[in-house]
């Protein structure tokens, strides 16, 4: 069983930055694929980015490419999402996800094993 706890959300002006953290329990964190998803009001949850377990390969949605960076610190069992040049359309609840196999942009979210409770990010114009 893996538990995920997100932190770092908040209110920021357009053009600003935030860094989200996701702390994971479990001794096999380094082998898990980790991802970030978001859900805006009235919209479906969508993929933001992911990082693989063994190779740390990264994947990004086109909407965040060049502005967001995902990284992981296996010694701290933590994955980060650095968000720069934030836009009002980035406003959403951001969810951390973990899977022992893989997380990709086109993977069905129902196949992902673990989810955090979410953290709110609000970008004002």
């Amino acid at each position: 069983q893996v538990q995920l706890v997100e932190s770092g959300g908040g209110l920021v002006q357009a053009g600003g930055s935030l860094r989200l953290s996701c702390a994971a329990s479990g001794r096999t964190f380094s082998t898990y694929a980790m991802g970030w998803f978001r859900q805006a009001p009235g919209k479906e949850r969508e993929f933001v980015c992911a990082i693989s377990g063994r190779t740390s390969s990264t994947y990004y949605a086109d909407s965040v490419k060049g502005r967001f960076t995902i990284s992981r610190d296996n010694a701290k069992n933590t994955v980060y999402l650095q968000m720069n040049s934030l836009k009002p359309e980035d406003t959403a609840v951001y969810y951390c996800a973990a899977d022992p196999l893989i997380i990709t942009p086109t993977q069905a979210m129902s196949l992902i094993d673990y989810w955090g409770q979410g953290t709110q990010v609000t970008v004002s114009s």
Side-chain angles (χ1 to χ4, degrees):
Q1 188 75 9
V2 174
Q3 292 185 327
L4 305 174
V5 179
E6 301 100 332
S7 61
L11 173 65
V12 64
Q13 288 188 333
S17 298
L18 278 177
R19 188 177 82 156
L20 305 184
S21 300
C22 173
S25 64
R27 293 176 293 178
T28 57
F29 171 81
S30 63
T31 65
Y32 273 63
M34 302 295 297
W36 289 95
F37 293 75
R38 66 187 181 186
Q39 188 166 16
K43 295 187 177 181
E44 294 186 351
R45 191 173 298 189
E46 64 176 4
F47 171 86
V48 175
C49 57
I51 186 167
S52 64
R54 301 188 184 280
T55 65
S56 291
S57 298
T58 56
Y59 309 89
Y60 293 93
D62 288 343
S63 59
V64 306
K65 204 170 291 183
R67 300 188 298 122
F68 290 12
T69 302
I70 187 171
S71 61
R72 64 191 302 157
D73 185 338
N74 290 335
K76 295 182 178 179
N77 277 20
T78 301
V79 64
Y80 303 98
L81 178 61
Q82 178 66 44
M83 305 185 292
N84 299 328
S85 302
L86 282 161
K87 304 175 182 180
E89 50 264 44
D90 294 318
T91 295
V93 177
Y94 282 71
Y95 296 90
C96 178
D99 193 273
L101 295 179
I102 193 169
I103 296 175
T104 69
T106 56
Q107 180 185 16
M109 283 180 269
S110 60
L111 298 178
I112 297 173
D113 281 1
Y114 303 103
W115 293 89
Q117 81 288 351
T119 185
Q120 177 70 46
V121 171
T122 302
V123 184
S124 63
S125 57

